[in-house]
Amino acid sequence: MWGLNFPPGQMGTAVSWVWGCDPTAASGGPQNSQAYLTGVMSASQLFFNSPCYTAAMRWDKDLSVTEGVSPSVASLTTLSQLGDPITTGRIGMEQAGYWVFQNLFLAKPKFQWGVAPIPYGPTGSDLTQDWTDAWVMSSKSTHKSLAFKFMVYMSTGASAKEFAQITGFFPALTSLEQTTLQADAAALGMSENLSQLQSVILGGLAKGQGFEAPGHTLANWNQINTTWANTTDNLFIGKQTTGAAMAALNQAMATQLQSNAG
């Protein structure tokens, strides 16, 4: 079993925010970034090569390349072919979202499991990523009225309560929080009681504890994310130094953004 999987995710911000920095802010975390307010990243406001962001990426890379605590990219790919690494018990800990509850509900693991807050980074920051997923209807939907009625049905009343209980997804309605937490506490293998889950999960949703993930706030996200992933490939398999990778990333991202704006 591998001990930990801490994927950098979302432009590396899943790690850098815990370090107290963001690649689109000259200092501090996402709360200091104009990009998340406007939805547009600027080629002139990129800080992928800042000392803080570079240190965060070096730490994450070293987990697998140097310390062997996390699976390598190749190992993780192999593990995933055998099933979800967490639900099959092949990884001891993983940074992930609330959707893991649904996976574990379905997997019915034969081991004890639980949920815990993300540890503080070196700056004492506890800012983690929020993933707000919603029911949506396309502007080109053929049956707009029916689609809207279905969304109302799934998000209100008894049907919303049942959906929260069955899937484990955390509801938008605060009146259903306890319903979901009670279902989580009763899940097979859950090692925490209701009170402990309330503390961890509701504490993580408290004001100031989280910030919406960049993939939900930035325009042209697919291109941005692809550029980040392609440019950091060699870093996370140990074939490039972190400093060199971050310098290349800053330039590649600026080129991509200039192309988008052009």
Side-chain angles (χ1 to χ4, degrees):
M1 174 190 288
W2 295 94
L4 169 69
N5 184 35
F6 202 102
Q10 294 282 304
M11 223 166 43
T13 54
V15 175
S16 74
W17 288 1
V18 181
W19 253 245
C21 56
D22 183 273
T24 65
S27 62
Q31 65 273 23
N32 293 339
S33 169
Q34 285 297 309
Y36 303 130
L37 295 177
T38 63
V40 179
M41 279 177 62
S42 168
S44 62
Q45 291 291 309
L46 298 177
F47 304 94
F48 290 95
N49 57 350
S50 71
C52 177
Y53 187 88
T54 300
M57 294 304 100
R58 181 180 295 112
W59 174 85
D60 195 70
K61 178 261 296 182
D62 284 349
L63 286 177
S64 59
V65 174
T66 303
E67 300 174 16
V69 175
S70 296
S72 65
V73 175
S75 297
L76 188 59
T77 299
T78 301
L79 290 176
S80 298
Q81 292 174 349
L82 301 173
D84 180 85
I86 280 290
T87 60
T88 56
R90 292 182 171 88
I91 291 179
M93 293 183 289
E94 181 177 51
Q95 183 200 35
Y98 207 86
W99 56 85
V100 173
F101 277 95
Q102 182 189 36
N103 298 341
L104 287 160
F105 278 15
L106 294 173
K108 295 180 171 58
K110 296 180 180 179
F111 54 82
Q112 293 289 299
W113 59 278
V115 58
I118 300 297
Y120 287 7
T123 61
S125 172
D126 60 351
L127 186 65
T128 55
Q129 289 188 355
D130 289 340
W131 300 79
T132 304
D133 295 322
W135 294 100
V136 296
M137 177 181 69
S138 171
S139 62
K140 299 179 181 179
S141 174
T142 303
H143 304 286
K144 290 184 175 63
S145 178
L146 288 176
F148 183 74
K149 287 181 179 178
F150 176 74
M151 290 191 296
V152 171
Y153 171 77
M154 292 300 296
S155 58
T156 59
S159 51
K161 180 178 181 179
E162 186 176 4
F163 183 79
Q165 289 173 318
I166 293 174
T167 66
F169 279 115
F170 206 74
L173 296 174
T174 56
S175 59
L176 294 179
E177 287 178 354
Q178 292 305 310
T179 295
T180 305
L181 290 171
Q182 287 167 0
D184 293 340
L188 185 66
M190 169 54 70
S191 61
E192 294 163 272
N193 60 36
L194 178 60
S195 177
Q196 291 168 325
L197 284 176
Q198 288 173 327
S199 177
V200 174
I201 295 173
L202 297 183
L205 294 173
K207 184 178 180 180
Q209 298 300 304
F211 201 92
E212 192 69 21
H216 291 183
T217 59
L218 295 177
N220 300 309
W221 172 249
N222 286 340
Q223 293 175 329
I224 291 170
N225 195 47
T226 298
T227 298
W228 189 92
N230 290 344
T231 312
T232 58
D233 271 351
N234 284 333
L235 170 65
F236 291 106
I237 60 175
K239 291 187 176 182
Q240 190 176 26
T241 66
T242 312
M246 294 304 100
L249 177 58
N250 215 64
Q251 182 57 56
M253 196 67 73
T255 300
Q256 178 64 63
L257 293 175
Q258 288 167 349
S259 176
N260 290 348

PDB file of all heavy atoms in Angstrom, residues 16 52 97 118 141 183 188 202:
ATOM      1  N   SER A  16      -0.508  24.600  -3.757  1.00  0.00           N
ATOM      2  CA  SER A  16       0.039  25.943  -3.506  1.00  0.00           C
ATOM      3  C   SER A  16      -0.828  26.766  -2.564  1.00  0.00           C
ATOM      4  O   SER A  16      -0.312  27.579  -1.797  1.00  0.00           O
ATOM      5  CB  SER A  16       0.252  26.701  -4.823  1.00  0.00           C
ATOM      6  OG  SER A  16      -0.976  27.144  -5.384  1.00  0.00           O
ATOM      7  N   CYS A  52       7.485  30.760  -3.616  1.00  0.00           N
ATOM      8  CA  CYS A  52       6.483  29.999  -2.864  1.00  0.00           C
ATOM      9  C   CYS A  52       5.875  28.888  -3.716  1.00  0.00           C
ATOM     10  O   CYS A  52       5.804  27.733  -3.292  1.00  0.00           O
ATOM     11  CB  CYS A  52       5.395  30.932  -2.353  1.00  0.00           C
ATOM     12  SG  CYS A  52       4.046  30.092  -1.484  1.00  0.00           S
ATOM     13  N   GLY A  97     -12.226  15.167  -3.180  1.00  0.00           N
ATOM     14  CA  GLY A  97     -13.447  15.888  -2.875  1.00  0.00           C
ATOM     15  C   GLY A  97     -14.518  14.998  -2.274  1.00  0.00           C
ATOM     16  O   GLY A  97     -14.332  13.788  -2.065  1.00  0.00           O
ATOM     17  N   ILE A 118      -7.419  18.899   5.516  1.00  0.00           N
ATOM     18  CA  ILE A 118      -6.109  19.007   4.896  1.00  0.00           C
ATOM     19  C   ILE A 118      -5.161  19.664   5.903  1.00  0.00           C
ATOM     20  O   ILE A 118      -5.501  20.687   6.507  1.00  0.00           O
ATOM     21  CB  ILE A 118      -6.161  19.867   3.616  1.00  0.00           C
ATOM     22  CG1 ILE A 118      -7.125  19.249   2.602  1.00  0.00           C
ATOM     23  CG2 ILE A 118      -4.775  20.015   3.006  1.00  0.00           C
ATOM     24  CD1 ILE A 118      -6.724  17.888   2.113  1.00  0.00           C
ATOM     25  N   SER A 141     -31.043  23.436 -25.102  1.00  0.00           N
ATOM     26  CA  SER A 141     -31.874  22.286 -24.741  1.00  0.00           C
ATOM     27  C   SER A 141     -33.162  22.274 -25.560  1.00  0.00           C
ATOM     28  O   SER A 141     -33.824  23.306 -25.729  1.00  0.00           O
ATOM     29  CB  SER A 141     -32.215  22.335 -23.250  1.00  0.00           C
ATOM     30  OG  SER A 141     -33.112  21.308 -22.918  1.00  0.00           O
ATOM     31  N   ALA A 183     -26.279   9.806   6.840  1.00  0.00           N
ATOM     32  CA  ALA A 183     -26.054   8.735   5.870  1.00  0.00           C
ATOM     33  C   ALA A 183     -24.568   8.398   5.789  1.00  0.00           C
ATOM     34  O   ALA A 183     -24.182   7.228   5.711  1.00  0.00           O
ATOM     35  CB  ALA A 183     -26.579   9.154   4.494  1.00  0.00           C
ATOM     36  N   LEU A 188     -20.882   1.804   5.392  1.00  0.00           N
ATOM     37  CA  LEU A 188     -20.085   0.633   5.746  1.00  0.00           C
ATOM     38  C   LEU A 188     -18.606   1.008   5.870  1.00  0.00           C
ATOM     39  O   LEU A 188     -18.021   1.585   4.965  1.00  0.00           O
ATOM     40  CB  LEU A 188     -20.246  -0.445   4.663  1.00  0.00           C
ATOM     41  CG  LEU A 188     -19.573  -1.797   4.943  1.00  0.00           C
ATOM     42  CD1 LEU A 188     -20.236  -2.466   6.139  1.00  0.00           C
ATOM     43  CD2 LEU A 188     -19.672  -2.698   3.711  1.00  0.00           C
ATOM     44  N   LEU A 202     -18.483  20.251   8.196  1.00  0.00           N
ATOM     45  CA  LEU A 202     -19.055  21.590   8.334  1.00  0.00           C
ATOM     46  C   LEU A 202     -17.980  22.612   8.655  1.00  0.00           C
ATOM     47  O   LEU A 202     -18.057  23.773   8.241  1.00  0.00           O
ATOM     48  CB  LEU A 202     -20.144  21.595   9.401  1.00  0.00           C
ATOM     49  CG  LEU A 202     -21.362  20.720   9.100  1.00  0.00           C
ATOM     50  CD1 LEU A 202     -22.410  20.870  10.199  1.00  0.00           C
ATOM     51  CD2 LEU A 202     -21.962  21.072   7.742  1.00  0.00           C
TER      52      LEU A 202
END
